[in-house]
Amino acid sequence: MIATLTKYFTAATLAVVLGTSFAAAAPMRVTGPSAPPLGHVQFCAAHPDDCGVYDKPNQMVRLTDAVWARLNQLNEAVNAAVLPATDLQIYGVLERWDYPKFVGDCEDYALEKRRELIAAGWPASALLMTVVKDEAGDGHAVLTVRTDRGEFILDNKTDAIELWSHTPYRYLKRQSTRDAAAWDQIEDGRDVLVGSTRN
């Protein structure tokens, strides 16, 4: 099984999954409540059943070979199925969060991955929409998957799944582990430069 999965791993990620580098898997530091992104507020108004207090808050997924394989399969499948387009191109507005219908931008990919994992029985409170600054200093959204081996990032920019701390992003805020409509501030203390902006 391990041999068939190694094509998905960087060496650092594989080491964490196999338990040889658990110290590298420190979680994001959450410092308190944050204002939700406007796009997510509007998303919750349109999809109230997808936003609210979790039945099982603060959950983590146990990371097994099967779980890891499923995450990689899903990340690749959604990345391949959805064509990239801006909200302006799709909806005629600068920002709108929604489930993609063949096309979407970064948050739409992440929302779809989250929806499919929840439908498959994964705990919603372990699947958190997350806002970052990317390499160019632009806003970007990804999906954080909280596991017992660390917090991994599903990203439409790449099929490779990495620990959050191994990505080139500056982490700003993410969904709360208690309430899907609430968000928490992240203090990203890593020595990471994202473009010319540090937040």
Side-chain angles (χ1 to χ4, degrees):
M1 173 68 82
I2 292 298
T4 62
L5 295 181
T6 52
K7 67 177 182 175
Y8 298 118
F9 303 152
T10 65
T13 304
L14 180 59
V16 171
V17 172
L18 294 179
T20 60
S21 184
F22 192 81
M28 298 176 199
R29 184 165 184 263
V30 173
T31 59
S34 178
L38 178 58
H40 193 253
V41 173
Q42 295 168 337
F43 170 83
C44 286
H47 302 276
D49 290 345
D50 295 335
C51 299
V53 176
Y54 298 118
D55 292 335
K56 295 182 179 179
N58 203 33
Q59 296 292 294
M60 289 187 182
V61 176
R62 182 171 174 268
L63 194 59
T64 64
D65 285 352
V67 164
W68 186 253
R70 175 57 180 145
L71 282 177
N72 279 279
Q73 184 274 331
L74 175 75
N75 197 50
E76 289 188 8
V78 174
N79 286 354
V82 179
L83 297 175
T86 67
D87 289 331
L88 194 59
Q89 292 169 323
I90 303 168
Y91 304 113
V93 296
L94 289 176
E95 185 73 358
R96 178 173 167 180
W97 292 33
D98 209 342
Y99 295 119
K101 300 176 181 68
F102 308 112
V103 295
D105 65 358
C106 56
E107 68 272 0
D108 304 332
Y109 285 85
L111 285 166
E112 182 61 26
K113 293 169 189 178
R114 185 174 189 271
R115 174 168 68 170
E116 293 190 24
L117 289 169
I118 291 171
W122 293 44
S125 64
L127 307 168
L128 308 178
M129 294 294 295
T130 305
V131 172
V132 304
K133 291 280 190 180
D134 68 10
E135 306 94 321
D138 295 327
H140 183 51
V142 296
L143 181 65
T144 297
V145 179
R146 301 178 72 237
T147 82
D148 61 349
R149 297 294 184 92
E151 296 174 336
F152 290 88
I153 301 302
L154 275 60
D155 190 353
N156 68 297
K157 290 186 176 186
T158 177
D159 288 338
I161 297 175
E162 297 278 6
L163 283 167
W164 77 277
S165 54
H166 292 175
T167 67
Y169 302 146
R170 170 66 56 188
Y171 287 75
L172 304 178
K173 62 177 74 176
R174 73 181 188 190
Q175 274 181 301
S176 166
T177 60
R178 305 169 307 280
D179 183 339
W183 284 64
D184 289 327
Q185 190 77 26
I186 298 168
E187 182 178 299
D188 189 346
R190 297 170 304 136
D191 187 19
V192 174
L193 287 174
V194 180
S196 60
T197 304
R198 289 184 66 104
N199 285 359

